[in-house]
Amino acid sequence: MSKRKTDQDDADSDSDVSFVDVTFDFFDLNPNVDYQGLKKLALQLFQRDAEGMNPHELAELVLSQAKMGTTIKLDDKDSDPYAILTVLNMHVHKDNPFIKALAAYCLEKSKVDSAFHTTLQALFSQTEKHVGFILCERLRNMPVQVIPPMYRMLTEEMKQAVDQNEPYNFSHFLIISRTYHLTEADETYLSSTQVKPRSSKKSKKTKTPQAPPTSRPSDGIYSFHPEDDLIKQASLHFADYTFSAPAEPRNEESFGLDTRGRLMLVPSENYVPLVERMLETFAVA
């Protein structure tokens, strides 16, 4: 079922920069066709640790509650998803192989912060408060502006579900995302090779907001997705971590980013203000 459409810019023939007219459509999850697409997004999210996370179990669990959450597609409901946002109740599904692996993974990665680790241990060992795992991932070419409406729709769906006595009343939300690490040498190289556009003309319609210049983080760790900086600010705890599975050795000739992970715990009282801030920060002009 299509939920809503949003258009991205048309081509500006007078500009040196090309823009493509693309229509994104928001859909409910489709158990008939979304399985492989969801697995691919899960593999992208968990990177080289994905094999131990039972991504096939994750896809099946997500599709078992197809009315909760949203996908984005470029063609129709029978095409592959380019983005996914949904929430899973970690307590209701505690015996699911993916949720078991996820809980163990989060406990392991949170050890870098003893307070975070203790909080997760307490949450996972009781039954009165439920933790919702928010699964949010998208392909590289999907703009950040599509994410806030997905969160708004998820908020509405959770409220409707709670009104119908379904188990979507959460005390905390757990979110995993990707980061990347740059050494000072990496940043110097990237700055020296950055190509400036030949024209300052902008597209006629939607304008993607440019992130303000920021100084280098002391740890050299950057968010993959712009919205993750807002989620981090709304979090009770967060932990940046390296993947468990070994990576190929890196040297001065290595190609590609040093990809890592970030675990964030958002208390429920911060969730709605977070969504409102996303909608404001990444509004389509």
Side-chain angles (χ1 to χ4, degrees):
M1 174 182 176
S2 176
K3 295 184 174 181
R4 192 169 67 86
K5 291 185 178 181
T6 182
D7 292 326
Q8 291 295 315
D9 301 344
D10 61 331
D12 186 344
S13 59
D14 296 327
S15 173
D16 292 326
V17 180
S18 295
F19 293 87
V20 179
D21 185 12
V22 177
T23 298
F24 301 125
D25 214 341
F26 296 82
F27 290 92
D28 288 328
L29 287 99
N30 186 342
N32 295 324
V33 299
D34 287 348
Y35 177 80
Q36 292 298 333
L38 293 181
K39 274 188 64 177
K40 290 178 182 178
L41 290 170
L43 292 172
Q44 176 178 283
L45 175 62
F46 293 106
Q47 296 284 299
R48 59 181 183 270
D49 284 351
E51 184 176 349
M53 299 301 294
N54 299 304
H56 57 288
E57 297 283 356
L58 168 58
E60 290 181 353
L61 181 57
V62 167
L63 293 174
S64 72
Q65 50 170 52
K67 296 301 181 183
M68 179 61 63
T70 301
T71 61
I72 292 182
K73 301 181 178 184
L74 298 188
D75 298 317
D76 54 40
K77 65 182 180 65
D78 293 326
S79 58
D80 287 336
Y82 279 56
I84 170 69
L85 176 67
T86 190
V87 63
L88 299 169
N89 190 317
M90 295 186 66
H91 284 71
V92 169
H93 302 294
K94 60 184 176 61
D95 294 326
N96 178 275
F98 166 73
I99 295 297
K100 282 184 174 181
L102 175 67
Y105 190 78
C106 292
L107 286 171
E108 176 63 29
K109 297 307 181 184
S110 65
K111 287 180 178 179
V112 297
D113 181 336
S114 60
F116 191 1
H117 184 69
T118 299
T119 299
L120 284 185
Q121 282 183 315
L123 286 172
F124 291 164
S125 63
Q126 53 81 51
T127 57
E128 292 184 4
K129 297 179 180 179
H130 287 196
V131 176
F133 170 63
I134 291 181
L135 173 63
C136 183
E137 187 58 302
R138 63 187 184 272
L139 298 183
R140 281 182 56 187
N141 57 346
M142 296 300 297
V144 65
Q145 285 82 5
V146 304
I147 297 300
M150 295 176 78
Y151 267 97
R152 177 181 54 76
M153 287 184 279
L154 182 65
T155 304
E156 294 169 356
E157 289 167 350
M158 287 192 293
K159 183 179 184 303
Q160 292 171 4
V162 170
D163 289 344
Q164 297 172 10
N165 295 318
E166 296 181 23
Y168 290 95
N169 188 16
F170 301 110
S171 66
H172 297 78
F173 295 93
L174 198 59
I175 301 170
I176 290 179
S177 191
R178 291 174 293 144
T179 62
Y180 61 95
H181 176 261
L182 294 178
T183 65
E184 292 185 5
D186 291 334
E187 296 202 14
T188 299
Y189 174 77
L190 290 174
S191 297
S192 66
T193 58
Q194 198 168 31
V195 178
K196 296 181 179 180
R198 292 179 292 168
S199 171
S200 61
K201 291 183 180 180
K202 298 178 181 179
S203 64
K204 298 174 184 177
K205 294 181 182 178
T206 309
K207 300 175 180 64
T208 301
Q210 297 297 314
T214 57
S215 58
R216 182 180 189 274
S218 58
D219 54 9
I221 294 177
Y222 294 85
S223 301
F224 249 100
H225 300 312
E227 71 273 15
D228 287 347
D229 292 327
L230 300 185
I231 298 173
K232 178 180 172 182
Q233 293 169 21
S235 297
L236 176 64
H237 299 289
F238 76 92
D240 291 320
Y241 61 85
T242 56
F243 295 117
S244 301
E248 294 183 5
R250 294 177 62 87
N251 54 44
E252 293 182 358
E253 303 300 321
S254 295
F255 178 79
L257 291 174
D258 177 8
T259 309
R260 304 184 180 189
R262 174 175 293 158
L263 180 64
M264 297 171 281
L265 184 68
V266 178
S268 58
E269 60 267 25
N270 290 357
Y271 174 79
V272 171
L274 168 62
V275 174
E276 291 173 348
R277 192 175 176 197
M278 284 186 188
L279 288 164
E280 178 182 351
T281 302
F282 304 115
V284 177

